[in-house]
Amino acid sequence: GRAGLGRIDGEGAVAQFADPFGLAVYTDARYNVTWVFVTEFTNHRIRMYDAGNDTVSTIIGDHANFGNEDGEGTNANFQSPDQLMVISDNGDLSPQLYVADTKNKLVRL
């Protein structure tokens, strides 16, 4: 990403983060995949860096709406996500993320 406070998805040099905090790496040699998951504390979301195509995308949460709603993708809400952990996917390229949703005092899956 490039220096500066932001929330831009896109190719590596274009992407911007705001208070990146937690980090978890998922690698699967069978599919030649390396994904880096990052929590954004002040943007209340989870981002993913795909090393294969050098892109950053928002996968969970929405910077404009924080809360504790469960849901798919940007329909889910966090309030200051902190640490995260990725668990193996058992071969189907669907790793599970556990996220410490700090201000909601929750661990989310």
Side-chain angles (χ1 to χ4, degrees):
R2 95 185 135 151
L5 189 63
R7 57 181 172 263
I8 299 171
D9 288 339
E11 292 184 11
V14 173
Q16 284 186 317
F17 291 85
D19 294 325
F21 205 88
L23 182 74
V25 179
Y26 172 81
T27 301
D28 191 325
R30 296 169 297 176
Y31 298 102
N32 195 29
V33 168
T34 299
W35 296 329
V36 179
F37 299 96
V38 181
T39 60
E40 271 193 298
F41 195 79
T42 55
N43 276 340
H44 312 291
R45 60 192 186 157
I46 310 299
R47 314 272 298 282
M48 183 182 81
Y49 171 69
D50 184 334
N53 60 21
D54 191 34
T55 58
V56 173
S57 57
T58 299
I59 60 167
I60 307 170
D62 179 359
H63 73 278
N65 298 302
F66 61 87
N68 65 357
E69 297 295 320
D70 291 331
E72 295 287 325
T74 56
N75 291 322
N77 299 123
F78 292 98
Q79 188 169 0
S80 303
D82 191 329
Q83 298 297 319
L84 73 161
M85 179 175 69
V86 64
I87 302 293
S88 176
D89 63 20
N90 297 319
D92 66 357
L93 278 179
S94 300
Q96 294 183 355
L97 293 176
Y98 289 85
V99 180
D101 193 359
T102 305
K103 294 207 174 166
N104 284 321
K105 298 174 177 51
L106 297 170
V107 174
R108 312 264 303 272
L109 169 65

